[in-house]
Amino acid sequence: MNKIEFNNEIIPFRDKFCIPKNKNGKELIYFCGNSLGLKPKATDSYILQELNDWANLGVEGHFEAQKPWVDYHKTFSKSLANLIGAEENEVVAMNSLSVNLHLLMVSFYNPQPTKYKILIEQNAFPSDQYIVASQAKFHGYNPNDAIVEIKPEYDRICLTTDVIISTIEQYKNELNLILLGAVNYYTGQAFELKKITEVAQKYDIKVGLDLAHAIGNISLDFKQYPIDFATWCSYKYLNSGPGGVSGVYINKKYFNNYEIKRFEGWWGHDEKERFLMGNVFKPMHGAAAWQLSNAPILSMAAHAASLAIFDEIGIEKLVEQSKKLHLELRNGLEKIILKYNLKIEIITPKAENEHGCQLSILINENGKDLYRCRLAKSKCNSDGTCTTL
Ligand SMILES: *Cc1c(COP(=O)(O)O)cnc(C)c1O
């Protein structure tokens, strides 16, 4: 294998993370950042700061902590906006991903008598499937009728942009909403968001994105393709810790829409009047109006530790490096597959704009053994141990 070319600026960043080790103390090569990103070393001091402020200030920490808790969510606006090409008041960190998807569907899924269907990709993440099905039922529809899945052309696993667009065209009069994972969690395919958004908007169909596998992984620019809403989690590519806080994007064109349906809570209320404890909701201007509760400071502290790293290096340099690593891994794997005639298929699309760093492989033979032993040339014993052949 050729030596991988590294951007010199990126090399020192590896040392900012804790790398898990095997039993012999050797650092593992970590391929699971798509499930749980590694812990930045700085996370401890960020959380400790909040624990100390809590210890020393008690309730006064809301206003007097080093980063006052009442405004804590605001510290993320710039970093998050940079990651997706949005404006600062179009994003807010809050809740968790599945919760936010429900909240956003309350606002952006308004089924009409003939225009009530939701389009999703086949093999969407299970939680997303449950969410759209239960939302359809909530509005009185049968999910089998209200939900349309984009199916790949025969013998393919990934969707082509053509098949996505032709499905939209086919259902254009009935579709109310398109909800896509910007990067599919299973195949690692990144969708051509600009083309898809343009077609959807031509037919007055709203577009929402689940960025769980996209934020911190690929370049996103909502200024180029102004979708309606998006949400994500921060514990995958954003390295903000298990169950870490989610975030949402809401297109600014909705900020002056006072008819919009929304589930409301006191943290979305105009902050200048929040503590007057009034009984009529007056929304904040911006995505902040969608907040319900006061912020979970301890998990947000972990989020802050990680986003500081993204701010320092910038997503563009990370994406550039990740493309090189992806290609090198792909080329290396292809050679091994050919040499040993392995029944392994790389399913993530090869085109540079159709993937992030994830590389998905389909193992058509001895998949269980490979999974359990993590070694191509070993076999699983009945007691669960491995023997190298
Ligand atoms: C990881 C992931 C989720 C997980 O949802 P949580 O509410 O954070 O548990 C949902 N949807 C997609 C597409 C995911 O990749």
Side-chain angles (χ1 to χ4, degrees):
M1 229 186 265
N2 300 330
K3 212 164 158 18
I4 304 169
E5 218 184 289
F6 273 96
N7 177 335
N8 282 332
E9 282 174 79
I10 283 187
I11 294 170
F13 279 75
R14 187 177 191 277
D15 198 40
K16 290 182 188 287
F17 293 89
C18 304
I19 316 270
K21 297 193 171 86
N22 70 7
K23 283 200 295 286
N24 305 323
K26 193 169 175 289
E27 280 186 354
L28 296 170
I29 301 175
Y30 194 70
F31 281 117
C32 297
N34 64 325
S35 180
L36 184 68
L38 290 177
K39 185 180 94 65
K41 289 177 181 166
T43 304
D44 304 51
S45 67
Y46 276 72
I47 294 179
L48 202 59
Q49 174 72 46
E50 303 314 324
L51 290 174
N52 286 337
D53 283 346
W54 178 22
N56 297 325
L57 301 166
V59 71
E60 298 295 348
H62 284 295
F63 299 97
E64 286 170 23
Q66 193 192 52
K67 292 185 195 161
W69 302 331
V70 276
D71 290 331
Y72 206 94
H73 58 276
K74 293 183 191 166
T75 58
F76 308 119
S77 304
K78 190 158 192 271
S79 318
L80 292 174
N82 280 341
L83 288 173
I84 60 175
E87 291 180 18
E88 286 186 34
N89 66 354
E90 290 178 309
V91 297
V92 69
M94 63 181 201
N95 308 323
S96 53
L97 171 54
S98 300
V99 170
N100 283 337
L101 268 172
H102 275 298
L103 292 177
L104 293 171
M105 286 190 68
V106 165
S107 297
F108 297 103
Y109 175 52
N110 288 302
Q112 304 299 318
T114 56
K115 207 167 166 64
Y116 61 92
K117 296 195 175 182
I118 306 168
L119 187 74
I120 59 169
E121 76 246 49
Q122 195 183 41
N123 289 327
F125 193 85
S127 197
D128 301 41
Q129 297 189 45
Y130 309 149
I131 289 161
V132 291
S134 59
Q135 285 281 341
K137 280 192 270 183
F138 178 75
H139 286 279
Y141 297 100
N142 177 348
N144 293 333
D145 171 45
I147 292 165
V148 180
E149 290 186 355
I150 314 166
K151 297 198 170 47
E153 285 136 305
Y154 90 110
D155 88 350
R156 277 177 176 266
I157 295 171
C158 290
L159 302 169
T160 57
T161 305
D162 284 349
V163 96
I164 298 174
I165 289 175
S166 67
T167 313
I168 299 175
E169 303 267 357
Q170 188 187 343
Y171 292 94
K172 60 181 187 284
N173 297 324
E174 295 144 273
L175 284 177
N176 188 286
L177 171 69
I178 297 176
L179 183 71
L180 286 180
V183 173
N184 180 271
Y185 86 100
Y186 179 78
T187 62
Q189 178 179 17
F191 297 121
E192 291 194 85
L193 300 173
K194 189 166 190 292
K195 283 191 194 161
I196 296 167
T197 307
E198 278 166 7
V199 176
Q201 291 178 342
K202 194 163 85 186
Y203 301 122
D204 199 22
I205 303 164
K206 292 214 165 43
V207 179
L209 296 176
D210 183 331
L211 302 179
H213 287 260
I215 194 165
N217 176 19
I218 59 170
S219 292
L220 292 159
D221 189 359
F222 292 169
K223 293 198 182 78
Q224 267 194 61
Y225 35 94
I227 56 157
D228 296 282
F229 68 91
T231 179
W232 54 86
C233 54
S234 66
Y235 49 81
K236 291 172 180 163
Y237 293 97
L238 293 186
N239 310 318
S240 300
V245 67
S246 169
V248 301
Y249 158 88
I250 288 155
N251 189 313
K252 63 173 187 267
K253 73 181 178 198
Y254 295 104
F255 295 167
N256 291 323
N257 178 344
Y258 297 101
E259 304 299 305
I260 199 156
K261 287 187 194 146
R262 180 172 48 217
F263 283 174
E264 293 163 347
W266 76 317
W267 229 247
H269 187 87
D270 180 7
E271 61 187 358
K272 290 191 257 6
E273 297 176 14
R274 189 183 292 141
F275 294 98
L276 297 179
M277 303 307 210
N279 55 9
V280 180
F281 184 80
K282 183 175 163 195
M284 297 274 294
H285 185 77
W290 272 259
Q291 296 174 104
L292 295 179
S293 299
N294 76 96
I297 300 300
L298 298 182
S299 71
M300 282 196 172
H303 198 28
S306 174
L307 290 181
I309 298 174
F310 280 88
D311 288 345
E312 200 181 333
I313 186 74
I315 185 73
E316 297 312 326
K317 282 185 198 136
L318 288 173
V319 168
E320 197 187 305
Q321 185 68 57
S322 117
K323 284 193 173 139
K324 288 182 190 154
L325 287 167
H326 178 102
L327 192 65
E328 203 59 36
L329 179 63
R330 179 186 287 270
N331 290 342
L333 262 177
E334 276 172 355
K335 276 188 204 144
I336 293 167
I337 292 168
L338 214 64
K339 184 164 168 196
Y340 296 102
N341 193 23
L342 301 174
K343 300 284 173 285
I344 295 179
E345 207 181 321
I346 297 177
I347 60 174
T348 306
K350 197 166 191 170
E352 207 188 270
N353 62 342
E354 284 192 72
H355 65 76
C357 41
Q358 178 173 330
L359 190 83
S360 299
I361 55 176
L362 198 63
I363 296 160
N364 292 316
E365 210 174 78
N366 302 331
K368 270 267 163 354
D369 288 356
L370 188 65
Y371 176 73
R372 287 173 63 191
C373 297
R374 278 91 160 174
L375 271 173
K377 295 231 152 191
S378 65
K379 81 174 177 35
C380 284
N381 305 317
S382 53
D383 62 359
T385 58
C386 300
T387 307
T388 308
L389 300 174

